[in-house]
Amino acid sequence: MKWRAMIKILLSVLLILFSVIASHAQESSKVIKEFHIKFKSTNSDDRVKSVQTLQALPWKVTINILLTAFEDNNLKVLKATQEVVESYHESLDLAKLLISKGIGEVKNDFGRSYLINALGKFRYPEVNAGLFKLLKLTPNPNIAVPIIESIGILGFEESIPELIKLRKNSLYSRHFGFRSSLFEALIQFPDKQVVEFFISTLEENEGIIATQTQEYLVLVAGTRQTTAANWKKWWEENKATIEIKKATLEEINNKIRSIIPEGETPYYGMSILAKRITFIVDTSGSMKIANDKESRLDVAKNELSNVVKGLSEKCLVEIITFSSNSDGTITFNSLQA
């Protein structure tokens, strides 16, 4: 009799289990169906909401759908999709799948960069190693740059020598974004290897990278030197005993915003440190709204004229104007100098 009672209990448990599984499957099916309907909307906010609903489901159910969402061209949608992937950051299996297969399936450069950046939340040594392996295999800067960014965010100290070796990568000398992402990744590390690397590169960089490098050295070393030669001399005298402080990229960039190069004019109060600059100017009807003296467009023209006159001859400048018509069409024009 006892075994019959046990069988009844077991059958009851199995029935409850199957009911729960069926209920979850039905709910998942409903969410996915609603996603496909809303994601077809031309309204980006609707597409963002449709992506966010997927976060309630297991990654094994949603990952293929999320990979298709990374093909969207709207940055808000891509950011929302990235955040959903990041919510699964405790799954090493998902990270391995994304590195081995998922990244290659996304064809949209922007979408792929958002997907790669999501991997910066998966804090596993295996993810870090997988990103370096992928980095060595790709000649494409649109893949290399977000990989370096994610490696910097992961922050594993063993990454430092491998990042420094990227100075020998062919992209280093010919691609600004590659160089910039490398320096910003290394800034995450308060380490003597990084200090020595930055000092060794002082004479080969200019503009924003050079300024970031200088401010990193000032913040972590607690001293300011005026030339590359002085930094090298200081390093030889102090490297054995110096205690490296922590300096975040945010702290460095906040410091940089307050720097106005001597003899140069700020743009709406902002410093201009880069040597490759794009100004984007709205010339649509709203810019014609004026106070007693001048319109918004007049102010923009004056600011632009003043700052361009004050720029160094080494600067490469592009000015893009855009305006929207009554039918919503946006027109762009570009001028390079």
Side-chain angles (χ1 to χ4, degrees):
M1 295 294 292
K2 288 184 178 180
W3 63 270
R4 290 182 178 176
M6 291 179 64
I7 290 175
K8 286 183 178 180
I9 293 172
L10 180 60
L11 289 173
S12 297
V13 171
L14 289 173
L15 182 61
I16 293 171
L17 181 61
F18 287 139
S19 297
V20 171
I21 292 173
S23 176
H24 279 300
Q26 186 176 12
E27 181 63 26
S28 297
S29 178
K30 180 181 177 183
V31 171
I32 291 171
K33 184 177 180 180
E34 290 178 354
F35 164 82
H36 285 300
I37 293 172
K38 292 181 179 179
F39 198 72
K40 294 177 182 178
S41 172
T42 57
N43 186 305
S44 61
D45 290 335
D46 288 341
R47 300 202 302 281
V48 167
K49 291 176 183 177
S50 70
V51 168
Q52 290 171 338
T53 61
L54 297 176
Q55 191 168 327
L57 304 179
W59 71 263
K60 290 184 179 180
V61 176
T62 64
I63 190 58
N64 288 330
I65 302 172
L66 289 168
L67 290 177
T68 62
F70 277 116
E71 302 292 355
D72 199 289
N73 288 318
N74 184 276
L75 299 187
K76 289 194 296 183
V77 176
L78 293 176
K79 183 61 177 177
T81 309
Q82 175 185 338
E83 290 172 351
V84 174
V85 173
E86 289 175 346
S87 71
Y88 301 129
H89 66 271
E90 294 183 357
S91 174
L92 177 57
D93 287 339
L94 172 57
K96 289 180 176 178
L97 176 66
L98 293 175
I99 292 171
S100 64
K101 184 180 178 183
I103 293 173
E105 290 188 2
V106 178
K107 305 307 178 186
N108 176 7
D109 278 351
F110 282 118
R112 192 165 49 222
S113 67
Y114 276 85
L115 173 55
I116 295 171
N117 283 155
L119 288 165
K121 295 293 185 180
F122 291 74
R123 287 192 52 80
Y124 294 98
E126 296 91 338
V127 175
N128 200 53
L131 288 173
F132 268 114
K133 184 177 180 181
L134 189 61
L135 181 60
K136 290 177 181 178
L137 296 174
T138 180
N140 185 348
N142 293 325
I143 296 177
V145 167
I147 288 177
I148 295 171
E149 291 171 347
S150 289
I151 289 171
I153 292 169
L154 287 171
F156 290 102
E157 287 188 10
E158 56 266 33
S159 298
I160 297 173
E162 296 301 316
L163 286 170
I164 289 174
K165 287 179 185 177
L166 293 177
R167 189 181 184 183
K168 298 179 180 179
N169 189 295
S170 61
L171 288 172
Y172 179 87
S173 61
R174 61 187 175 85
H175 194 278
F176 173 81
F178 184 93
R179 260 191 334 277
S180 176
S181 63
L182 173 59
F183 276 68
E184 291 189 357
L186 284 168
I187 281 170
Q188 315 294 327
F189 300 94
D191 189 275
K192 288 186 179 182
Q193 297 174 81
V194 179
V195 173
E196 188 164 30
F197 171 78
F198 279 175
I199 290 174
S200 72
T201 64
L202 282 172
E203 293 177 336
E204 67 188 35
N205 287 305
E206 59 181 6
I208 190 66
I209 294 179
T211 308
Q212 283 180 331
T213 301
Q214 281 277 3
E215 293 309 314
Y216 170 87
L217 293 173
V218 170
L219 288 172
V220 303
T223 182
R224 184 180 291 276
Q225 304 296 324
T226 55
T227 66
N230 286 347
W231 272 113
K232 289 176 182 178
K233 181 181 178 182
W234 171 87
W235 181 244
E236 289 303 317
E237 293 173 350
N238 294 276
K239 64 181 178 182
T241 57
I242 188 70
E243 181 179 342
I244 305 301
K245 302 173 185 177
K246 175 71 175 176
T248 66
L249 180 60
E250 182 180 8
E251 288 174 326
I252 292 168
N253 286 338
N254 285 340
K255 180 72 174 176
I256 288 172
R257 290 188 188 99
S258 66
I259 299 172
I260 306 297
E262 186 177 353
E264 296 190 7
T265 306
Y267 184 61
Y268 283 97
M270 296 184 293
S271 57
I272 303 294
L273 301 171
K275 299 301 180 185
R276 299 170 181 84
I277 310 163
T278 298
F279 295 98
I280 302 177
V281 183
D282 181 1
T283 58
S284 57
S286 61
M287 291 294 288
K288 296 178 181 178
I289 297 174
N291 55 27
D292 294 338
K293 296 181 179 179
E294 54 190 354
S295 68
R296 295 173 179 174
L297 187 57
D298 291 329
V299 174
K301 287 179 179 179
N302 289 334
E303 287 282 341
L304 192 56
S305 176
N306 290 334
V307 75
V308 170
K309 288 177 182 177
L311 290 175
S312 164
E313 292 181 358
K314 295 181 180 179
C315 288
L316 298 176
V317 179
E318 180 178 29
I319 300 172
I320 297 176
T321 63
F322 74 94
S323 60
S324 57
N325 300 323
S326 57
D327 61 358
T329 303
I330 298 178
T331 303
F332 291 92
N333 292 291
S334 177
L335 173 65
Q336 296 181 347

